[in-house]
Amino acid sequence: MTARLSPSRPSRRLPEEPECGVAPELLDYLFAESPQAEAAPAAAPQPSRSVARQVGDVLVESRLAGMGDADVRSTLARKLCRLLPDLPPGGADTVSAVAVRALEQLARDHIVRVREALATAIKDIACAPPSVVATLARDVERTVAEPVLRCCAALSDEDLLDIVAAAPAGWALSAIARRHSIGTALSDAIAGSGHAEATGILLDNSGAVIAEPTLDRLVEQSAHHPDWREKLARRPALPRRLALRLADFVDLAVVEHLRRRRDFDDTTVAEIAATTRRRIDWAEAADSAEPPERRAVRLHRIGKLDETALGDAMSWNETGFVRAALTLRARVAPEVVDLILDAHDPQAVTALVWRAGLSMRCAMQIQARAAGIHPRAMLNARQGSGFPLSPTEMARHLERYGVGP
């Protein structure tokens, strides 16, 4: 008798997985015996059975729901992020490796809202996989990258420095400048980016540690950025000498902040007040009929055409006085001074100030306030106060403008 065979029951097929979703083999990998796991040392951390089962359930549930659906992948991203704190770090076991691989693929998803969901869920997780947050931080979409750049503690300083060095969009720099904690290297990179808004945000951030040489440059550059001055005046642990330099700007709001600081002694406060008073006296004296050029000649004759006088003049943008002073002190023709300052040549301006017997600090002020040189193009002091060019180099720069020995 021939046996009757019952028709085979069709097996349930999972939906095909598109390129943008989680790879199908991840599910097999999750439950397969791993040769690497067998060879791992006994002390390697392993997730509890319940955590492993939760990861598996999340992936299986998402797979059955249809990974071609962006909403399903967004839900998967959020669920996997909630399980991350309970998994061994660094993909130390099979289950962790599967979860990290799934998150890495979700971080590259072609649907923006999937990446947004992942970024929002992972930004506050300190143990987030570095490969995942590094990808999200470099995303071209602001809604994806900004939360990670601003909040994610798992994003390394090396990644952040690399991102800043790549000259990203302004919103990315501003997001980094708002981070809860910023070290000196990253602060220096943000301040050196030339982005005024991000630098202002950095100055307002009490969690940002800014090295004194960086603060020094920012005080000089605040000649072009008046809104930085009040922020600088509020910086914690502001060096006394920088506080006195800020008072040079005769910004009454800034001076008031400086005078109210509790970390300055009476002598410093008195010096700030005296500097302000001297600046005001200079402006009031300038209201007379004496032209700036004649005033420079008079001060030169009595030996008072010094850096103090130049600083007072620059605080009120008296460029005519500054040009006349450089002409007299450097012993060159007025046309040469005009040519050098109008050329916006930082090396030549520095050389001219050096020839005039003035300091590198004065050279930085003249670059910013009299020559109108952009902060990023300015020639900065060496080791805080020294000239960055040798006498031979400076003489060569002056020769280009017809100035001999």
Side-chain angles (χ1 to χ4, degrees):
M1 181 176 179
T2 305
R4 296 181 64 187
L5 298 177
S6 59
S8 59
R9 188 175 184 179
S11 60
R12 181 177 182 181
R13 293 178 59 86
L14 296 177
E16 291 298 321
E17 180 61 31
E19 287 184 8
C20 58
V22 176
E25 63 268 18
L26 287 182
L27 297 179
D28 298 330
Y29 179 49
L30 178 63
F31 299 109
E33 291 295 328
S34 170
Q36 292 181 347
E38 290 174 2
Q46 298 292 327
S48 68
R49 192 173 187 84
S50 63
V51 173
R53 176 53 58 187
Q54 287 181 67
V55 173
D57 287 346
V58 167
L59 288 170
V60 171
E61 175 188 338
S62 301
R63 179 81 174 144
L64 292 173
M67 289 299 295
D69 189 322
D71 290 334
V72 171
R73 298 199 301 280
S74 298
T75 301
L76 171 62
R78 287 189 287 266
K79 288 184 176 180
L80 285 177
C81 286
R82 285 198 293 269
L83 293 171
L84 278 176
D86 297 321
L87 293 173
D93 68 287
T94 303
V95 177
S96 297
V98 170
V100 171
R101 284 176 59 190
L103 290 169
E104 286 173 344
Q105 286 190 278
L106 290 166
R108 297 189 297 271
D109 200 288
H110 78 290
I111 301 295
V112 174
R113 72 172 181 274
V114 174
R115 306 198 306 274
E116 286 176 355
L118 177 56
T120 303
I122 211 168
K123 66 181 177 66
D124 296 319
I125 299 176
C127 62
S131 59
V132 176
V133 295
T135 299
L136 293 170
R138 291 172 171 82
D139 202 288
V140 296
E141 294 292 337
R142 180 173 183 173
T143 52
V144 176
E146 191 171 45
V148 176
L149 290 171
R150 180 173 181 175
C151 303
C152 189
L155 194 60
S156 70
D157 275 4
E158 289 74 16
D159 276 318
L160 289 165
L161 286 168
D162 183 58
I163 290 168
V164 173
W171 57 260
L173 286 169
S174 296
I176 296 172
R178 289 187 172 95
R179 288 177 69 84
H180 178 70
S181 178
I182 301 176
T184 54
L186 187 55
S187 290
D188 188 58
I190 295 170
S193 68
H195 193 271
E197 181 183 350
T199 302
I201 292 169
L202 180 75
L203 290 172
D204 271 336
N205 187 347
S206 59
V209 181
I210 306 178
E212 189 169 327
T214 304
L215 283 174
D216 209 327
R217 291 199 308 272
L218 294 177
V219 168
E220 295 299 339
Q221 293 171 12
S222 66
H224 295 291
H225 304 284
D227 56 307
W228 288 2
R229 298 171 196 165
E230 194 169 338
K231 300 173 189 292
L232 282 160
R234 292 196 301 261
R235 284 295 305 172
L238 182 71
R240 174 179 177 274
R241 65 181 186 84
L242 294 184
L244 294 173
R245 197 176 305 173
L246 275 174
D248 287 349
F249 290 101
V250 201
D251 186 321
L252 297 182
V254 172
V255 172
E256 192 60 29
H257 275 293
L258 293 172
R259 293 178 65 179
R260 288 181 180 178
R261 290 181 66 112
R262 297 182 181 274
D263 55 341
F264 290 154
D265 55 25
D266 293 342
T267 302
T268 302
V269 173
E271 286 189 49
I272 291 170
T275 299
T276 306
R277 183 69 259 170
R278 195 184 71 244
R279 295 286 194 252
I280 293 172
D281 289 344
W282 175 276
E284 290 175 348
D287 288 339
S288 65
E290 185 180 38
E293 294 78 8
R294 186 178 295 277
R295 189 179 192 182
V297 171
R298 177 172 58 81
L299 291 176
H300 186 57
R301 285 174 177 169
I302 61 177
K304 291 187 177 181
L305 189 60
D306 52 16
E307 290 194 23
T308 299
L310 279 164
D312 290 342
M314 283 187 286
S315 69
W316 295 107
N317 296 318
E318 292 186 8
T319 56
F321 179 92
V322 174
R323 290 172 185 248
L326 289 172
T327 297
L328 293 166
R329 289 190 60 103
R331 302 179 307 281
V332 296
E335 296 79 11
V336 173
V337 173
D338 291 342
L339 186 64
I340 291 174
L341 294 182
D342 294 342
H344 311 296
D345 181 343
Q347 286 83 9
V349 171
T350 300
L352 180 65
V353 174
W354 164 76
R355 181 182 171 92
L358 302 166
S359 70
M360 185 58 201
R361 176 195 166 188
C362 185
M364 292 178 67
Q365 291 178 316
I366 290 175
Q367 285 182 75
R369 304 186 197 183
I373 296 172
H374 191 276
R376 295 187 71 176
M378 283 176 55
L379 196 61
N380 293 312
R382 176 178 293 167
Q383 297 180 342
S385 60
F387 281 92
L389 303 174
S390 68
T392 302
E393 290 173 317
M394 288 191 279
R396 188 167 63 250
H397 282 292
L398 288 173
E399 286 174 3
R400 293 170 47 221
Y401 293 87
V403 180

